[in-house]
Amino acid sequence: MFKLPEIPKLPEREEFEYKEKEFLLSLYEEFRASSKTLLFAVAVLAVLAVPLKFGLEALFEKSLKAAYRAPLLHASLYTPKDLEVVMTRLLPVDDRRVSVVAQVVNPNPEISAITLSYEFVLKDEQGREVAKISGENFIAARESKFILEPLVSAEPEAAEVEFKLSDIRWTRKKPEDLKLEILQKNVGQTLEGNFFAEGLVKNLQGFGLRKVQVQAVVFDAVNQNIIAANQTVLTELLPFESRYFRMVWPQNYPNAGQTHLTASVNLFDPGLILEKAEAVPL
């Protein structure tokens, strides 16, 4: 037969209260018997604990700040290769004016230059500066383009030209693929004996373009060297519109070979499209 374990009898309530009072009384007696020096030391530590805590925290914070070295930050988000200037030309137009041309290549496959500043510096045979002209342009990733100034006053006579690039702003944004076409290309000589180039620029987009630049680069008879250059601007080219252009030089080029005609727009210009304007993120 199963037998229940015996449970000890708990003390009565009065007995609990008595033992509690007895414990507190013994604790008080021991506290009174303790060394006064020890009690004083405990009291001092209790008083100094709070300011000592704050003092140590301040010292630790100061040492951390002194030892901290901020990480180096790059001024540019990207590390693109430098633009390459593969060619510069000084082209006589008449007795007082010249054209200057530079061919620039962007070797970066994914990074474009939203804006860049350029400067042509013209010098005489002694290397003295006789003229200077500057402007702004852009270049897309993997693009090769001509930057030119068709008419620059150069008195006294300029013998060489230096081309400089500066203030380049880069972006990884891929521009929209806009299509322009040049129709009915034609070059020849006017009745006055001046060389000309003409054609029609057709906007193949369903929206208008605020500014279209047309360039003409004329090569020699063997199509190796540039002998003349010119450019013009068409504004507010409407959707699917074909616009006539004509560029005339002050002289003729009887030994001209091919004439390279191009139409382009600044794809990074927020005001390019007539109907809307959106900011280009960096």
Side-chain angles (χ1 to χ4, degrees):
M1 182 177 181
F2 179 74
K3 183 178 181 182
L4 294 174
E6 293 183 4
I7 301 175
K9 184 178 181 182
L10 297 175
E12 298 293 337
R13 179 177 179 183
E14 292 79 3
E15 186 176 353
F16 270 122
E17 291 177 354
Y18 172 77
K19 289 184 177 294
E20 181 182 5
K21 291 178 181 180
E22 184 180 15
F23 170 74
L24 293 175
L25 183 61
S26 63
L27 185 63
Y28 173 73
E29 292 295 335
E30 290 181 4
F31 183 76
R32 289 187 59 186
S34 299
S35 170
K36 292 183 178 181
T37 303
L38 180 61
L39 292 177
F40 179 76
V42 172
V44 170
L45 286 176
V47 172
L48 295 179
V50 175
L52 184 63
K53 171 180 176 294
F54 288 110
L56 290 175
E57 287 180 350
L59 182 63
F60 182 67
E61 181 181 359
K62 185 178 180 180
S63 63
L64 279 180
K65 289 181 178 180
Y68 177 73
R69 295 292 180 270
L72 295 176
L73 297 178
H74 294 288
S76 174
L77 295 176
Y78 320 121
T79 53
K81 296 179 181 179
D82 293 335
L83 298 178
E84 301 172 2
V85 181
V86 298
M87 179 273 295
T88 56
R89 290 288 185 272
L90 178 68
L91 310 172
V93 176
D94 55 30
D95 294 338
R96 298 176 291 106
R97 296 174 298 179
V98 297
S99 297
V100 286
V101 183
Q103 185 178 6
V104 181
V105 175
N106 182 2
N108 299 286
E110 297 180 349
I111 304 177
S112 302
I114 295 177
T115 60
L116 58 88
S117 298
Y118 67 85
E119 183 178 65
F120 289 100
V121 180
L122 282 67
K123 300 179 181 180
D124 60 15
E125 292 181 351
Q126 285 73 40
R128 295 173 298 193
E129 182 180 311
V130 297
K132 182 188 296 184
I133 187 167
S134 58
E136 290 189 351
N137 213 303
F138 72 98
I139 187 167
R142 289 183 177 176
E143 183 182 9
S144 173
K145 70 183 303 182
F146 293 107
I147 297 177
L148 62 92
E149 295 290 341
L151 288 177
V152 182
S153 177
E155 291 184 300
E157 184 177 354
E160 60 178 303
V161 61
E162 181 182 356
F163 182 72
K164 302 177 182 178
L165 292 171
S166 62
D167 301 328
I168 302 173
R169 294 178 57 213
W170 301 99
T171 182
R172 287 189 183 274
K173 177 179 172 62
K174 186 177 181 180
E176 297 182 18
D177 185 19
L178 300 186
K179 295 182 179 180
L180 296 168
E181 188 177 1
I182 299 183
L183 307 172
Q184 301 179 22
K185 299 177 184 179
N186 185 35
V187 296
Q189 182 179 343
T190 66
L191 295 177
E192 295 78 18
N194 298 328
F195 186 81
F196 73 86
E198 62 184 1
L200 295 174
V201 175
K202 184 175 180 60
N203 179 10
L204 300 177
Q205 279 63 232
F207 48 82
L209 301 173
R210 192 173 302 278
K211 181 179 177 181
V212 178
Q213 185 179 71
V214 184
Q215 286 186 342
V217 178
V218 185
F219 290 85
D220 60 12
V222 294
N223 297 316
Q224 289 184 351
N225 299 310
I226 297 175
I227 60 173
N230 210 335
Q231 65 185 15
T232 186
V233 173
L234 307 178
T235 58
E236 298 188 356
L237 191 62
L238 300 179
F240 307 110
E241 179 188 0
S242 295
R243 180 84 59 85
Y244 174 75
F245 70 88
R246 181 181 176 93
M247 290 174 274
V248 181
W249 281 257
Q251 62 171 299
N252 189 30
Y253 299 97
N255 297 320
Q258 293 183 356
T259 298
H260 185 57
L261 293 172
T262 58
S264 63
V265 294
N266 185 348
L267 299 171
F268 305 103
D269 181 3
L272 168 65
I273 299 174
L274 288 175
E275 287 76 7
K276 61 182 180 177
E278 298 178 354
V280 178
L282 294 179

